[in-house]
Amino acid sequence: MTIIVVNNKGQYNHRIQRSLQYLKIDSQLVSNTLSIEEIEAKSPTGLILGGGPSLEGAGNSEEYIKHFDIPILGICLGHQLIAKTYGGEVSTSNTESYAQVKINIKNDENLFEGLAPEMEVWSSHKDEVKSIPDEFEILANSKLCDIESFKHKDKDVYGIQFHPEVHHTPKGSQIFENFYKICKQ
């Protein structure tokens, strides 16, 4: 059971994979330039799309989102890529910030199991998801952002604007453990 962490050139991508290692979750950090076939050869049970500086530097991440029918978790840029791939809107935030914020959890099933009703997270809001397609639902919001997290209604595809891999998100490891449970189902 390997979770593939797609490196979208964000400063915390290595920390995502290291966080999984600390939790004894088998994972591998890979370049976002690998082909679909190269990812398939690794027989992943889940994908985590890491953060990065821009949508333009996301390599093949959008192709992975379209192709794979396994659980997917997008973090920051990965969250935005999922929304964009499915037809949502991503643009610059009205309140650009990089700080700890309190999110309000609207749905505590699956990804947020055991974490509701609120959670302190470290979030980046340079760009953010402004709207999601009809087949998605919002899982969490904050005073800074209406869409801190979402889920596809019929698939195990999740997005989070915040960074569970940093110590400024005290319960971030629970997000990874919950995602791992989803991958094992």
Side-chain angles (χ1 to χ4, degrees), residues 9-105:
K9 301 181 176 75
Q11 61 182 341
Y12 294 131
N13 284 254
H14 289 86
R15 287 189 59 89
I16 295 169
Q17 201 262 332
R18 194 172 311 122
S19 295
L20 295 171
Q21 283 181 327
Y22 291 152
L23 296 169
K24 308 267 190 271
I25 297 171
D26 186 36
S27 60
Q28 184 179 358
L29 181 67
V30 302
S31 169
N32 65 8
T33 60
L34 291 185
S35 68
I36 296 286
E37 294 76 25
E38 289 171 307
I39 299 279
E40 284 177 335
K42 297 177 183 303
S43 301
T45 54
L47 286 179
I48 296 178
L49 304 171
S54 69
L55 293 169
E56 293 75 31
N60 295 328
S61 291
E62 287 186 63
E63 295 305 313
Y64 306 154
I65 294 164
K66 292 175 190 172
H67 178 80
F68 288 101
D69 189 23
I70 57 176
I72 298 174
L73 172 61
I75 298 174
C76 199
L77 176 66
H79 164 77
Q80 297 160 17
L81 287 165
I82 291 169
K84 181 177 175 275
T85 300
Y86 279 94
E89 180 191 353
V90 176
S91 65
T92 303
S93 171
N94 296 329
T95 56
E96 287 188 42
S97 69
Y98 197 62
Q100 194 166 36
V101 299
K102 186 180 293 186
I103 63 168
N104 305 303
I105 299 168

Side-chain angles (χ1 to χ4, degrees), residues 13 43 60 66-67 80 106 129 147 160-161 167-168 179:
N13 284 254
S43 301
N60 295 328
K66 292 175 190 172
H67 178 80
Q80 297 160 17
K106 297 170 164 279
V129 176
I147 308 171
I160 55 177
Q161 181 68 40
H167 74 275
H168 297 297
F179 182 67

Side-chain angles (χ1 to χ4, degrees), residues 69-70 86 110 134-137 151-158:
D69 189 23
I70 57 176
Y86 279 94
N110 300 316
D134 290 341
E135 64 263 36
F136 283 80
E137 67 177 295
K151 178 199 182 296
H152 193 286
K153 291 176 182 174
D154 301 318
K155 299 178 182 182
D156 287 319
V157 176
Y158 299 85

